[in-house]
């Protein structure tokens, strides 16, 4: 069994598994037509999936104002309804977008934008506070980040947010936010194929939670991809940006990455786990601070993800076997 975890020094208790709400935002794109979503989505199915996750003990939901240009927040708010007080909601700010056209127009790292963005997120989520508010500009200037951290401290004092974090894969940037008294976490990429030892070390040193996006390597660890099979036009993985390895434009999953997954399959699916559940079990075993946030679009995916909790983390022996297979 994977046990509940704490959002760093905030003392906020969450389920060991969070649900990432990027995919349920539906289709959206950049100004040059680059898809930024995961393709079409059924809002009613998304609502059912969130409510099923609640039934199965999931209490942490991570979204962003930009996901589906506001749509993910609206769907999450609708799904939680009267259960809002029973869960911990994380969202992000930093992107500028048009809800009507579903286009992300750019970024705004100004201190003034933080309050504008927060006000809009509170309305879409139908809540009076955000539990964890996260900077969504991974490469923001560190000096500007000091100002943004100070704004977040003001928002904590005002009761509008309970804690804050930076979504970044840069340990030096994450360390800037970590100096704030109410910084509770770093959100960063972590999965069995893409380890993050420096960020995990920072979390241990600074008493922060490690919130893990891409815990299933953008779906590669779900075991449903085959080489050469293109994805939908509206799926970001079909025209992958530079920061998204493991996929080839108009050709689906990268065969090199699929071979790595195949090499791990029998180990990850031992003890009655699915491949997805084995990938999540690796993350829990990697550090006691990790909180993976796999995405979902269906009730079945929600059930499979949440089913990992009962199986718990991998053993030390299994972790060593994985390192040997991957040559680490």
């Amino acid at each position: 069994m994977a046990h509940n975890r704490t959002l760093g020094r905030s003392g906020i208790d969450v389920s060991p598994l969070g649900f990432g709400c990027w995919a349920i935002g539906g289709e959206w794109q950049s100004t040059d037509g680059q898809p930024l979503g995961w393709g079409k989505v059924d809002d009613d199915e998304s609502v059912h999936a969130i409510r099923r996750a609640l039934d199965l003990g999931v209490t942490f939901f991570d979204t962003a104002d930009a996901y589906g240009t506001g749509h993910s927040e609206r769907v999450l708010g609708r799904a939680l309804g009267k259960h809002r007080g029973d869960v911990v909601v994380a969202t992000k700010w930093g992107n500028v977008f048009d809800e009507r056209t579903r286009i992300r127009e750019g970024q705004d790292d100004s201190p003034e934008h933080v309050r504008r963005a927060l006000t809009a997120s509170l309305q879409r989520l139908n809540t009076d506070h955000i539990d964890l508010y996260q900077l969504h500009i991974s490469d923001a200037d560190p000096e500007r980040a000091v100002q943004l951290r100070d704004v977040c401290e003001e928002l904590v004092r005002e009761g509008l947010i309970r804690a804050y974090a930076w979504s970044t894969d840069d340990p030096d940037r994450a360390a800037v936010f970590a100096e704030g008294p109410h910084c509770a976490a770093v959100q960063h990429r972590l999965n069995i194929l893409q380890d993050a030892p420096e960020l995990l070390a920072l979390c241990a040193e600074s008493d922060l939670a490690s919130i893990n996006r891409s815990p299933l390597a953008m779906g590669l660890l779900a075991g449903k991809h085959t080489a050469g099979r293109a994805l939908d036009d509206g799926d970001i993985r079909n025209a992958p940006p530079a920061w998204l390895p493991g996929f080839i434009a108009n050709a689906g999953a990268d065969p090199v990455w699929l071979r790595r997954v195949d090499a791990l399959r029998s180990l990850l699916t031992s003890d009655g786990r699915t491949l997805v559940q084995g990938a999540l079990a690796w993350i829990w075993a990697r550090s006691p601070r990790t909180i993976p946030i796999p995405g979902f679009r269906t009730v079945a995916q929600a059930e499979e993800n949440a089913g990992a909790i009962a199986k718990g983390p991998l053993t030390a022996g299994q972790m060593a076997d994985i390192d040997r297979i991957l040559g680490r």
Side-chain angles (χ1 to χ4, degrees):
M1 179 90 179
H3 298 290
N4 275 11
R5 305 211 159 182
T6 306
L7 285 181
R9 52 181 104 125
S10 71
I12 299 170
D13 193 50
V14 295
S15 51
L17 179 76
F19 267 41
C21 299
W22 180 8
I24 63 167
E27 293 184 285
W28 53 299
Q29 56 189 316
S30 63
T31 50
D32 60 359
Q34 160 80 37
L36 297 172
W38 290 62
K40 290 184 169 50
V41 75
D42 178 335
D43 291 345
D44 289 337
E45 179 78 4
S46 300
V47 167
H48 291 316
I50 290 165
R51 291 179 179 163
R52 183 68 180 129
L54 290 170
D55 292 341
L56 295 169
V58 175
T59 62
F60 182 52
F61 294 88
D62 175 88
T63 185
D65 59 0
Y67 294 163
T69 60
H71 193 66
S72 174
E73 287 185 331
R74 292 186 187 281
V75 171
L76 180 59
R78 171 186 153 197
L80 294 177
K82 66 181 189 295
H83 298 289
R84 169 65 183 98
D86 305 327
V87 302
V88 174
V89 171
T91 193
K92 309 180 194 76
W93 91 91
N95 288 289
V96 182
F97 51 86
D98 185 328
E99 278 202 63
R100 191 179 44 80
T101 60
R102 289 193 159 232
I103 290 173
R104 187 190 73 173
E105 296 169 333
Q107 295 178 321
D108 188 341
D109 68 351
S110 69
E112 297 75 28
H113 180 66
V114 185
R115 284 182 183 273
R116 283 196 300 269
L118 177 61
T119 301
S121 286
L122 291 171
Q123 289 175 337
R124 284 189 291 262
L125 285 159
N126 192 27
T127 186
D128 62 0
H129 73 281
I130 302 296
D131 298 293
L132 185 70
Y133 203 36
Q134 303 163 103
L135 175 58
H136 205 183
I137 305 175
S138 61
D139 59 351
D141 176 73
E143 289 183 21
R144 177 53 69 95
V146 172
Q147 294 177 279
L148 299 176
R149 186 188 70 203
D150 291 345
V151 174
C152 286
E153 287 291 337
E154 287 173 22
L155 296 173
V156 172
R157 285 193 291 274
E158 293 169 29
L160 293 171
I161 67 174
R162 294 172 71 192
Y164 58 88
W166 194 342
S167 178
T168 180
D169 292 319
D170 179 356
D172 293 334
R173 283 182 164 85
V176 173
F177 258 37
E179 290 175 18
H182 292 91
C183 181
V186 182
Q187 182 168 144
H188 63 92
R189 181 175 62 197
L190 180 70
N191 60 64
I192 197 167
L193 303 174
Q194 297 168 295
D195 200 1
E198 288 182 34
L199 281 156
L200 291 172
L202 173 71
C203 289
E205 289 159 17
S206 301
D207 191 13
L208 302 175
S210 160
I211 299 172
N212 313 124
R213 59 180 144 74
S214 293
L216 305 177
M218 302 292 278
L220 288 173
L221 289 161
K224 301 191 173 66
H225 290 276
T226 53
R229 185 170 63 84
L231 296 150
D232 294 340
D233 286 344
D235 191 320
I236 189 170
R237 296 168 298 179
N238 202 45
W243 56 263
L244 203 174
F247 292 88
I248 299 168
N250 303 309
D254 184 333
V256 175
W257 285 65
L258 288 175
R259 283 196 291 275
R260 286 180 205 151
V261 174
D262 281 340
L264 297 165
R265 190 181 300 268
S266 62
L267 206 158
L268 291 177
T269 55
S270 58
D271 304 323
R273 292 183 177 93
T274 65
L275 186 62
V276 162
Q277 292 167 349
L280 297 171
W282 179 87
I283 289 179
W284 287 320
R286 184 67 183 82
S287 161
R289 297 180 172 274
T290 52
I291 305 164
I293 49 168
F296 64 98
R297 277 192 283 188
T298 65
V299 171
Q301 287 171 333
E303 291 175 339
E304 182 178 13
N305 291 348
I309 297 172
K311 310 264 190 215
L314 296 181
T315 64
Q318 288 169 322
M319 294 295 279
D321 287 342
I322 286 166
D323 281 342
R324 194 171 62 249
I325 290 167
L326 293 175
R328 291 205 280 242

